[in-house]
Amino acid sequence: MKKLSTLIILFSVLISCKQEIKPEKETITSEASEEKITVDSSENFPKELADIFEAHGGLHTFDQMHTLVFELTKPEGNEKHTTDLKTRHARIETNKFILGFDGKEAWLQQEDSTSFKGNPRFYHNLMFYFYAMPFVLGDEGISYQKVEDLKVGDISYPGYKISYGDGVGDSPKDNYFLYYDSASKRMKYLGYTVTYFSKETSDKIGFIEYSDWNDVNGLLLPKTLKWRIYEDGVVGDIKSERNFVNAVATREKPDTSLFKNQF
């Protein structure tokens, strides 16, 4: 599997949820413990993470798929995302722009200069990686470390810190924090740091709640992602949401021409 690359979206890109939700405050401890994790040499990740993969349909099932398609709902029209799961080539289509990645370069075609506001290289696989959690955490070049539980009310969510070796990906200094339900083994929260633009390590943690799921050809993938306020170690109110529809995962290889700039 290819490495997990840029997972961070600028908050200006996120669309605020139309209905404001006020949940109880939650506290997170993001510092990793000193506990060393025993890794199965045949899979290169901890057993607990293998359990999470299985709870979402199995890494073996994900590895059998060649194409993943989903739509990100937006008021001005949905974004259709198509990803080659073996090469991670990507294409994003809307009624105003088409953005793609051919393995070397990210390209953009748009109606005018205001149709897409952002960095094509940064955005081409951004939502794919959020959406394809937890499976992308089985990518090569990843290190795992146990962290303190995330406590939400009376519930504790075990977690792992995910980091990368020097020179791995566009943002090797990124850190991610995956928390899961100890009973179901399903993902519940994802913390992340932003390093893509600064190229420097950061202590500022963004936070996403994985609230509900959809069965996509045997894979349990999210219906909704909720970005949460995170300040001074406290995870607070929901500030925006992303909703996903029309998801399809298949063993059929995508047409390579989809990912090439033909204009």
Side-chain angles (χ1 to χ4, degrees), residues 127-223:
M127 297 312 301
F128 160 74
Y129 280 112
F130 283 136
Y131 183 74
M133 287 284 175
F135 299 109
V136 290
L137 297 182
D139 284 352
E140 296 176 359
I142 295 178
S143 299
Y144 309 93
Q145 188 174 13
K146 187 74 173 176
V147 294
E148 294 183 21
D149 291 359
L150 168 68
K151 294 184 178 179
V152 183
D154 295 330
I155 302 175
S156 293
Y157 295 94
Y160 276 88
K161 177 183 177 181
I162 294 93
S163 56
Y164 306 88
D166 292 340
V168 176
D170 290 336
S171 302
K173 295 182 180 180
D174 282 350
N175 290 314
Y176 307 97
F177 302 88
L178 180 149
Y179 297 92
Y180 62 95
D181 180 83
S182 58
S184 69
K185 307 300 183 184
R186 294 179 182 179
M187 274 189 68
K188 183 60 179 177
Y189 297 101
L190 179 74
Y192 59 85
T193 61
V194 180
T195 68
Y196 178 82
F197 295 102
S198 69
K199 306 303 180 185
E200 300 294 334
T201 57
S202 174
D203 294 326
K204 184 176 180 180
I205 299 175
F207 213 69
I208 303 173
E209 177 184 358
Y210 285 69
S211 59
D212 53 5
W213 302 96
N214 186 35
D215 187 322
V216 181
N217 199 12
L219 301 174
L220 206 62
L221 299 173
K223 290 182 180 179

Side-chain angles (χ1 to χ4, degrees), residues 46-60:
K47 179 184 181 303
E48 289 86 351
L49 197 57
D51 291 340
I52 297 171
F53 292 145
E54 285 302 312
H56 285 266
L59 192 59
H60 57 285

Side-chain angles (χ1 to χ4, degrees), residues 19-37:
Q19 182 178 1
E20 192 68 17
I21 306 172
K22 301 290 184 180
E24 63 177 332
K25 299 294 183 179
E26 303 161 2
T27 303
I28 173 177
T29 302
S30 62
E31 293 185 0
S33 68
E34 296 299 320
E35 179 183 351
K36 298 299 181 180
I37 303 303

